[in-house]
Every structure is written in C-alpha cells, then in structure tokens.
Amino acid sequence: MLTRRNLLGAATATIAAASAAGCVEALGEQEGAASADPETVRLAELSIQNTHGESHRVQLAVEAGAEMLHLGTYELGADGGSRAVEGEWTETAGEHRIHVALDDGDVRTADVVDSVGAGVGCARVLVRIGEDGTLGVWTGASCGSGADESDLESV
C-alpha cells in the first residue's frame, strides 16, 4: 500500500510533468474557465465504480489544503456497482483535491473547485474504471437525490 508521503510525492511529480507538457486541463484545471470560490464549494459526494470486466484496486486520497482527510484502498469487483466513500468533507467547504491510483499505477489528481466552475455550492466526484479498464475522474455540480451521471464531466 502506498503511504501518504509516496502518494503525494507521486501526485506532485505527475502534476509537474503534466504542467510542463501542457496537460493541466486533463488534471482538472480548465484553461480560461472561471473557478468556483473555494470558500463556498463543499464536496458533497464521492464515489468509486468499476465497469470493467475484471476486479481492480483503487487507492484514494482526499486532501484539503495541507491536511489529508482520507487515505484508503478499495478492492472493486467486476460487478459494475458503485460505492460511496464517506468523510468529513461533506460538511465543510474548501479546496479539495482527489488523488487516485489504479492497481499501483500512476497517481491522477483532480482539483474539485477548479473542475466545477464559478457559482457552484456543492460538487460530486465519481472515480470510475471504464469498460476498457482505464481510470477516469468525473465531476458534477448537481448534488442530492435528483443528481445522475448525465451531468458529470471528465477531468
């Protein structure tokens, strides 16, 4: 299992490499788009899903500022179901970053505030292993019981 230090170190290296290559948008920062105010956006929902025909392991970290709020490893069967990841982030607004690695692979990072845009009060994140076995991080600004996958966008 990756330690917090290894996970954040790998995330930092991945972000630096992507920034140097001009790929920051793929990590959640949309060029030219107005960002939401971190003081008003709360991470209302976080879930993981495996739609691939094989089982996978996902390592997930949730960070707010310099504080690590969650670090966990999840074994996901090939059943296509999703599961919610619960945590204290649902109550407090702030700058949340999601770090995720699939089967000990490279760490992918998404900045929740930057990915949802201005005027948003809550955000939700879905970490999904697609039918082709690739990792995707999706965000949406529609929260609550009426929210569905149709408003999620890849970051």
Side-chain angles (χ1 to χ4, degrees), residues 20-115:
C23 299
V24 175
E25 183 174 15
L27 297 174
E29 185 176 305
Q30 299 173 0
E31 192 172 316
S35 293
D37 179 1
E39 299 299 318
T40 63
V41 178
R42 65 183 177 83
L43 177 56
E45 300 172 31
L46 175 59
S47 58
I48 54 177
Q49 180 181 42
N50 181 15
T51 61
H52 190 229
E54 298 176 17
S55 296
H56 290 279
R57 181 179 52 195
V58 172
Q59 295 171 337
L60 178 71
V62 179
E63 182 183 22
E67 184 179 0
M68 184 62 61
L69 301 178
H70 178 79
L71 185 60
T73 301
Y74 301 89
E75 300 290 336
L76 300 173
D79 58 10
S82 64
R83 63 191 274 193
V85 179
E86 302 294 331
E88 64 185 67
W89 53 81
T90 61
E91 302 299 322
T92 306
E95 294 187 55
H96 294 95
R97 282 169 306 288
I98 309 298
H99 307 283
V100 61
L102 176 63
D103 297 326
D104 295 324
D106 292 335
V107 174
R108 183 163 179 188
T109 299
D111 186 312
V112 176
V113 172
D114 286 345
S115 66

Side-chain angles (χ1 to χ4, degrees), residues 2-17 99 101 105-109:
L2 289 177
T3 65
R4 176 181 182 261
R5 182 175 300 202
N6 290 341
L7 185 61
L8 290 177
T12 301
T14 301
I15 291 168
H99 307 283
D106 292 335
V107 174
R108 183 163 179 188
T109 299

Side-chain angles (χ1 to χ4, degrees), residues 130-150:
E131 293 177 358
D132 62 355
T134 59
L135 180 66
V137 180
W138 301 77
T139 61
S142 176
C143 302
S145 61
D148 61 27
E149 290 189 17
S150 66

